[in-house]
Amino acid sequence: MKDQHAVEQFLYQQAELLDTKQWQRWIDLFTPDGIYWMPPAPEYKTWDGQPAIFAEDKNLMTVRMNRVLHPDAWSQRPLWETNHVVSNVVIEKSSAKGVTVRSRFHMMELRRDDVRHFAGAYRHELVKAKGGYRIKLQRVDMTNAQAAYDYVLQVWV
Amino acid sequence: MLQERIADVSKFVEPDRVRREVYTDAQIFELEMQRIHEAVWIYCGHESQIPKAGDYYTLQIGRQPMLMVRGKDKKVHVLYNRCPHRGNMMCGDRHGNTGEQFRCSYHAWQFHHDGTLKNIPMMESGYAGTRVNKGSPELNMKPAARMESYRGFVFASLAKDGPDLKTFLGKSIVAIDDMCDRAPEGEVEVVPNCFRVIQHSNWKLFMENQIDALHPSVVHQSTGRAAHDVEKQIAKKAKGGEALSYHMLSAFATVTIDKWDNFQTISYPYGHCVLAGYMGLRPQDPDTLAYDKIMIKKYGQKRFEEIVGVNIHHVLVYPGLSVQSPLQQLRAVRPLGVDRTLTEIWHFRLKGAPEAIYRRSLAYYNLVNSPATLINADDLENFWKCHQGLSSDGGDWVSLARHHGHDIEKDGTISSAPNQGTSEAPMRNQMKAWAKYMQR
């Protein structure tokens, strides 16, 4: 139960960092070799060498962050906000080193006057680190991954 | 009323400017779907998308829902996605396998893969003495008027008259040749994933943007800078190494406005265009050298030099295909409405090339062309803003005058003058082709 509570708090914190646009602190949640991965479809087994909506190490995360923070990122000028809800948190595997945890998320996005909804499942491979957990691999299986994108995704979901 | 207005649609296009309605008027959109997209050769897909008998992929040509299907005899057919009985759409999924035959989900009419009628339930008892006779062509699923495949790339035209595919493509055929020639086996196969992104603007804005050599340093400065900074960090730590994928992005910032003029555009009949000059040039890393070795063994030094010497950034096949042949990817443009456009984005594998070469172009596909693109987010923002502005009465014309009067025209081919790579010649050429189609 202690693990369950700690893991839930970690996931909520990660979502909160996205919704409050604390990009660097969000990136810091990953291990030095951590990967954020959103496959185009559920059947993908690895991010490596495959088409991917996101397949980012910390270097690429930094590119994405610096892009949205650049004053001439034109698409970042209009009002743009997100709201994540994370739930259904289940620990799949647990060891002395870390845990594998799956959860469900729902994200509402507002851009100018338009609202979009994205939802799906997270699968976090977390390793224990000083003061909590770090993400080794976050897999995001978005229910709408295969649907046509009405506009694009600018940051991580 | 539409016909009256369209009678002088050619007046909407002048050599160096275009009326805004060309991008925003719903009636003009309907007419251009009819006279352009539903008349010329449109890219359907690659044969490797449908390897097995019964495999199909749906697509849109103009306003027409179509499908591309593989027959038992290995032949590819392009058909209207419609049952001739009551008009029910035949395949409701985006792609799949239809089995031994098409079977309509409404009244179970069955069709062979080439669209010809196979069976109607209660044919004898229900249709004796009616106009419905087996063998009459209107009981078949209607095929596209014309279909041709070139090196695995399938095109269809919904008009029975017009130039054949090779005549239509002309010099823009280099898009396909350059892609296939770079494969040691001389052909490519699709990576089975399609990214689909919708922009809220007219399809022509996309086609013009693709060969607009001035926009990258303005629009993509943010990503270029961000990538450049990280690229420098990586280079410092690793002494070279993996920086090529970052270089593809950072070039948007390091190639400044004045340098884009060093590129060259070459415009062809029917509105096609090549943007020459490629930022990656000829890398000399071990992966590239290993690939070069395979290619030289296959083609010989001379032919190899010719193949990798093709100097292309983008090829546009007007009105609906944008190809980046050196990176083996393409975007098919499917207009959904006057202010909505879908792009279907595919990546190809060079048959016989090492895995590393695939991975290199894959990095570009994921970073630039995925729905989480680091590049197109800002393009789409500009397209939307363009469409809003063009919908207003704040002005009547779109200017395409940059370097007008300086282009070099020879035998129907229009080249931007030296050091005028940002000439709006390709846009002028597209609009010239557009006006010609629309006048018919």
Side-chain angles (χ1 to χ4, degrees):
Chain A
M1 273 323 281
K2 216 176 109 219
D3 273 357
Q4 177 75 24
H5 179 73
V7 161
E8 283 176 3
Q9 291 298 310
F10 181 85
L11 298 182
Y12 301 157
Q13 185 204 356
Q14 190 192 19
E16 186 67 14
L17 292 176
L18 280 183
D19 292 337
T20 52
K21 302 182 180 176
Q22 298 187 63
W23 312 126
Q24 187 59 59
R25 286 189 62 199
W26 184 87
I27 294 173
D28 291 342
L29 296 180
F30 287 79
T31 61
D33 60 349
I35 298 284
Y36 177 87
W37 174 36
M38 185 188 289
E43 57 267 24
Y44 283 77
K45 300 266 189 284
T46 173
W47 60 272
D48 189 32
Q50 303 286 333
I53 298 167
F54 291 87
E56 298 187 354
D57 60 9
K58 285 184 116 167
N59 283 328
L60 281 172
M61 292 178 202
T62 305
V63 173
R64 187 174 294 278
M65 171 181 74
N66 288 345
R67 182 192 94 76
V68 298
L69 293 175
H70 193 282
D72 291 345
W74 311 109
S75 51
Q76 282 288 312
R77 290 282 182 84
L79 173 70
W80 178 74
E81 301 291 341
T82 61
N83 187 83
H84 286 74
V85 175
V86 181
S87 183
N88 308 15
V89 180
V90 176
I91 294 179
E92 281 186 343
K93 262 192 287 182
S94 185
S95 74
K97 281 188 181 155
V99 294
T100 301
V101 53
R102 66 183 153 82
S103 58
R104 293 266 168 186
F105 68 89
H106 192 114
M107 179 184 91
M108 179 274 223
E109 180 209 65
L110 175 73
R111 192 174 131 79
R112 278 200 190 88
D113 295 336
D114 297 327
V115 168
R116 294 193 297 177
H117 290 275
F118 295 97
Y122 291 143
R123 195 165 187 280
H124 285 78
E125 283 179 27
L126 302 177
V127 292
K128 282 187 178 145
K130 215 164 70 183
Y133 293 104
R134 289 288 174 273
I135 305 164
K136 185 148 176 67
L137 177 65
Q138 178 177 1
R139 175 176 176 145
V140 183
D141 279 293
M142 211 158 66
T143 310
N144 8 14
Q146 272 288 305
Y149 287 76
D150 206 328
Y151 194 61
V152 299
L153 299 167
Q154 296 199 58
V155 296
W156 314 283
V157 175
Chain B
M1 191 182 118
L2 175 65
Q3 290 307 323
E4 284 162 33
R5 291 185 52 200
I6 300 308
D8 45 17
V9 79
S10 60
K11 291 196 183 125
F12 286 45
V13 178
E14 293 183 6
D16 63 343
R17 61 178 192 167
V18 181
R19 290 279 302 191
R20 66 180 179 89
E21 292 88 342
V22 165
Y23 300 85
T24 56
D25 186 297
Q27 288 183 315
I28 291 181
F29 175 80
E30 288 297 311
L31 200 74
E32 65 187 6
M33 288 304 102
Q34 187 189 322
R35 292 189 180 169
I36 305 176
H37 290 75
E38 292 167 15
V40 306
W41 289 101
I42 296 290
Y43 177 65
C44 299
H46 193 264
E47 289 194 25
S48 58
Q49 285 169 238
I50 46 170
K52 296 191 301 289
D55 284 351
Y56 70 87
Y57 236 100
T58 61
L59 66 133
Q60 190 100 358
I61 296 182
R63 298 155 301 182
Q64 311 301 320
M66 309 294 292
L67 58 84
M68 172 176 90
V69 62
R70 175 81 66 176
K72 281 178 202 149
D73 56 359
K74 294 278 161 207
K75 267 197 194 147
V76 172
H77 306 277
V78 178
L79 309 171
Y80 287 78
N81 186 7
R82 176 189 190 277
C83 178
H85 175 212
R86 299 273 282 272
N88 205 36
M89 184 178 261
M90 187 62 71
C91 296
D93 285 350
R94 213 151 54 77
H95 57 96
N97 187 289
T98 186
E100 288 288 300
Q101 68 273 310
F102 290 108
R103 184 176 181 277
C104 180
S105 61
Y106 199 3
H107 303 95
W109 286 31
Q110 291 176 31
F111 303 86
H112 297 288
H113 294 140
D114 65 359
T116 54
L117 182 67
K118 185 176 182 185
N119 191 36
I120 296 176
M122 301 192 296
M123 181 71 196
E124 273 73 39
S125 60
Y127 288 98
T130 72
R131 69 166 74 226
V132 174
N133 291 302
K134 239 180 178 173
S136 63
E138 64 265 31
L139 293 185
N140 297 336
M141 286 171 70
K142 188 178 172 182
R146 293 180 296 159
M147 188 288 250
E148 279 190 52
S149 179
Y150 179 73
R151 299 184 83 167
F153 292 77
V154 178
F155 291 77
S157 162
L158 302 186
K160 63 182 198 306
D161 300 318
D164 62 28
L165 178 62
K166 270 194 162 174
T167 308
F168 170 77
L169 291 174
K171 294 265 174 59
S172 76
I173 205 164
V174 70
I176 297 170
D177 284 337
D178 183 38
M179 205 192 287
C180 296
D181 289 347
R182 284 170 189 269
E185 292 176 20
E187 56 182 41
V188 295
E189 64 186 347
V190 83
V191 179
N193 173 67
C194 181
F195 287 138
R196 297 184 302 147
V197 175
I198 293 168
Q199 67 189 60
H200 289 239
S201 55
N202 190 262
W203 61 274
K204 290 187 285 299
L205 286 172
F206 176 88
M207 293 303 279
E208 291 165 0
N209 186 71
Q210 289 300 83
I211 31 74
D212 182 332
L214 188 58
H215 90 280
S217 51
V218 182
V219 179
H220 305 308
Q221 181 71 218
S222 57
T223 300
R225 268 296 135 215
H228 188 56
D229 292 345
V230 174
E231 184 186 9
K232 278 192 299 192
Q233 290 297 322
I234 294 172
K236 217 189 286 173
K237 275 186 218 155
K239 293 186 183 144
E242 64 164 313
L244 194 65
S245 60
Y246 292 88
H247 185 69
M248 293 173 190
L249 299 174
S250 64
F252 287 110
T254 53
V255 181
T256 48
I257 285 191
D258 48 315
K259 289 194 200 135
W260 285 93
D261 253 339
N262 299 339
F263 284 52
Q264 192 190 27
T265 60
I266 309 158
S267 300
Y268 300 111
Y270 300 108
H272 310 323
C273 175
V274 168
L275 175 60
Y278 185 63
M279 47 186 153
L281 298 172
R282 295 268 302 272
Q284 294 296 305
D285 57 283
D287 291 334
T288 306
L289 295 176
Y291 162 75
D292 289 357
K293 220 166 150 183
I294 297 170
M295 288 289 284
I296 291 163
K297 198 172 162 203
K298 188 88 191 177
Y299 291 103
Q301 188 73 35
K302 188 165 164 278
R303 178 73 187 121
F304 162 74
E305 289 295 340
E306 279 170 19
I307 290 169
V308 297
V310 174
N311 188 17
I312 282 174
H313 185 61
H314 260 116
V315 184
L316 283 195
V317 181
Y318 196 75
L321 185 63
S322 166
V323 184
Q324 275 185 290
S325 49
L327 292 165
Q328 298 91 48
Q329 36 216 289
L330 63 78
R331 290 181 253 194
V333 182
R334 315 290 188 201
L336 304 176
V338 68
D339 60 351
R340 271 168 70 83
T341 306
L342 170 71
T343 48
E344 296 174 342
I345 314 169
W346 292 93
H347 177 216
F348 296 84
R349 206 184 259 274
L350 299 174
K351 277 189 165 180
E355 175 78 5
I357 299 300
Y358 153 76
R359 283 178 176 244
R360 179 178 298 168
S361 52
L362 175 74
Y364 190 89
Y365 181 68
N366 285 344
L367 293 173
V368 174
N369 277 325
S370 93
T373 168
L374 285 162
I375 295 293
N376 300 334
D378 294 315
D379 284 322
L380 266 56
E381 170 73 6
N382 274 322
F383 297 167
W384 178 81
K385 284 158 82 178
C386 263
H387 204 90
Q388 300 310 303
L390 292 174
S391 305
S392 87
D393 291 334
D396 291 331
W397 295 94
V398 172
S399 168
L400 300 175
R402 200 188 309 132
H403 293 313
H404 182 233
H406 297 260
D407 309 320
I408 301 156
E409 190 162 355
K410 204 182 155 202
D411 307 328
T413 296
I414 303 159
S415 309
S416 57
N419 271 316
Q420 295 188 354
T422 65
S423 169
E424 281 162 340
M427 295 76 160
R428 294 191 283 271
N429 187 54
Q430 287 180 13
M431 288 316 309
K432 199 168 90 182
W434 184 90
K436 204 171 159 192
Y437 282 128
M438 293 295 275
Q439 271 172 52
R440 279 192 291 195

